[in-house]
Amino acid sequence: MSTTGTTIDVDRSDADYRAWLKEAVRKVQADANRSADTHLLRFPLPEAWGIDLYLKDESTHPTGSLKHRLARSLFLYALCNGWVRPGRPVIEASSGSTAVSEAYFAKLIGVPFVAVMPRTTSPEKCRLIEFHGGECHFVDDPMKVYEESAALARRTGGHYMDQFTYAERATDWRGNNNIAESMYQQMRLERYPEPAWIVATAGTGGTSATIARYVHYMQHDTRICVPDPENSVFFEGWTNDDPDATTDCGSRIEGIGRPRMEPSFVPGAIDRMMKVPDAASVAGCRALEVAIGRKAGGSTGTGLWSALKIVSEMVAEGRKGSVVTLLCDPGERYLDKYYADDWLAAQGLDIAPYLKTIDTLLTTGIWREPGA
C-alpha cells in the first residue's frame, strides 16, 4: 500500500474493552491470591527402606483438580493476548476436569463457556461443568473434539482455548508459583528435599513439561517419569521419536492419555515413560484409599503405580531418597467407573493381580509384575 508521503494511523484502542479486560484479569489473579497452596501428603512406606513417597494433592483446588492451575493460566494467557472478549463464548476440547475448571473461570469473568467432550465423559464431571454455568457439547468420536471445538468457535465468534496446544506455553515454567516450584518449596524441610523422581501423568503434557523445565532450569538432579495408560499414543510417540503418532480409540483413564501427540507434550524434556495397564491404574486408586483413606481418580492411580515401581527399584538397589507424584482429582467423580465392580467387569478389567503386586511390595519390598 502506497502512503504517498502521509502517515497511515489506525487506532483500535477501546476504553470499554480495556476496562473490562483489566477487571477480568484482576478477578482471575484474585482467585490465585485467595487460594492456599495444595498439600503434600505422605504415602506410608516401611521406615526401614529410607524412602519417602509423597502425593501433591491437587484435588483441594476450588474446582477440585490439578486442572484448576492450568485453567487459570490459560485464561490469563488468552485474556492478555486479547483472545477472550466480553459476551463471546470460550470453547474447550476436554475430557472433563479442565472443562470444570474453565467453566469456573468463565463464570468468574462473566463469559459463556462450552465444553466439547466425548460422550463417555463421567456424568459427575458433566454435572460440575453445568454447576459452574458451562454447557456440555458431546461428540461420539474422541478424535473429533478438536475440529468440532474450532468449528464451534468460528460459528459463535468465540475463542477456542485449545489446552492441548497452549498448556505448556501459558504457565511460566521458570517459577511464579507453578506446581514444580511449589513442590520444591514444600520439600525443603523433608529429609530428602530433592526428589530422586517426580512422576507426572500426561493429558495435555503441560504439567510434565512445566516440571521438567523447572528441574532443568534450577539444575536439580531429579528425573521426570511420565506414565501413560492404555489406548494412548504418548508412550509410542516418545519411544519411537514419532511426533505424528496416532491411535483410533480413546483412553479409559479420564484426564490422561491422548489419541495423538499433543503440541503441549514435550518429549525431549522427559527422562522416562511407562506404559501402564488400565487395571493397574484402577488398582492404584483402590490401594491409595486403603493407605491414606482418600479416593482419587484414575490418573492418580496410574501415577501411583509407576511411583511404587520406582520405589521398588530403589529398595532393590538399596538407595534412599524421595519420590513425588500427583493426586490429580477426587475419586468421587468416578464412583460409577473405577470404584464400581460392575464397570470393571464390563470393561474386562481384573485388578486383583495388580492389587497383589502392590501389597507384596509394601509387605516384602519385592515387585512382582502380573504376568512376569
Side-chain angles (χ1 to χ4, degrees), residues 37-333:
D37 202 357
T38 59
H39 303 301
L40 200 61
L41 309 178
R42 287 189 66 177
F43 185 96
L45 297 175
E47 185 66 27
W49 291 358
I51 300 170
D52 297 327
L53 174 58
Y54 302 87
L55 294 104
K56 179 73 165 156
D57 184 8
E58 296 292 287
S59 71
T60 57
H61 283 295
T63 53
S65 82
L66 169 68
K67 300 300 185 180
H68 193 85
R69 290 182 192 267
L70 172 60
R72 184 193 295 130
S73 295
L74 287 168
F75 264 84
L76 286 172
Y77 189 70
L79 283 165
C80 294
N81 282 339
W83 296 342
V84 175
R85 296 280 171 156
R88 299 183 188 178
V90 169
I91 291 127
E92 182 63 285
S94 172
S95 61
S97 286
T98 301
V100 173
S101 299
E102 288 188 9
Y104 168 92
F105 283 106
K107 184 177 182 180
L108 189 69
I109 66 172
V111 296
F113 177 77
V114 181
V116 179
M117 59 178 63
R119 199 171 296 279
T120 54
T121 300
S122 75
E124 177 60 12
K125 284 185 178 177
C126 299
R127 185 192 71 78
L128 288 169
I129 291 164
E130 292 170 350
F131 172 80
H132 291 298
E135 175 187 338
C136 299
H137 182 96
F138 297 105
V139 296
D140 293 315
D141 181 356
M143 283 295 289
K144 299 294 185 184
V145 295
Y146 313 98
E147 61 185 80
E148 180 61 20
S149 297
L152 192 57
R154 288 193 298 270
R155 292 198 300 269
T156 62
H159 170 60
Y160 171 27
M161 193 68 88
D162 195 0
Q163 60 167 321
F164 299 105
T165 294
Y166 296 108
E168 57 88 13
R169 306 181 198 182
T171 300
D172 184 355
W173 49 266
R174 287 169 289 266
N176 192 25
N177 195 34
N178 69 41
I179 190 171
E181 183 180 51
S182 173
M183 284 179 180
Y184 278 91
Q185 285 293 328
Q186 290 176 310
M187 288 290 292
R188 187 170 53 87
L189 298 180
E190 301 300 315
R191 60 175 175 170
Y192 306 115
E194 184 172 298
W197 287 90
I198 294 176
V199 179
T201 52
T204 62
T207 299
S208 61
T210 295
I211 294 171
R213 288 163 167 169
Y214 181 84
V215 164
H216 301 158
Y217 182 69
M218 298 301 292
Q219 303 159 56
H220 293 305
D221 291 326
T222 305
R223 301 294 186 260
I224 309 302
C225 175
V226 175
D228 201 34
E230 293 177 30
N231 303 331
S232 174
V233 80
F234 286 147
F235 180 84
E236 286 73 21
W238 184 78
T239 53
N240 298 324
D241 195 23
D242 181 6
D244 299 317
T246 60
T247 185
D248 58 1
C249 55
S251 171
R252 285 182 292 202
I253 307 302
E254 287 191 29
I256 61 171
R258 300 301 304 165
R260 69 176 192 182
M261 294 289 278
E262 302 292 354
S264 283
F265 182 68
V266 184
I270 296 164
D271 296 289
R272 178 179 183 176
M273 289 197 71
M274 295 187 195
K275 193 71 171 180
V276 177
D278 288 350
S281 297
V282 178
C285 299
R286 303 285 186 97
L288 180 68
E289 184 178 17
V290 172
I292 69 170
R294 294 280 300 279
K295 285 184 170 69
S299 56
T300 301
T302 308
L304 181 60
W305 175 267
S306 296
L308 288 170
K309 187 175 190 303
I310 289 171
V311 166
S312 76
E313 295 167 357
M314 295 172 69
V315 172
E317 296 166 9
R319 289 188 288 126
K320 301 183 186 305
S322 59
V323 178
V324 180
T325 186
L326 303 173
L327 199 166
C328 303
D329 63 358
E332 285 72 18
R333 295 181 178 183

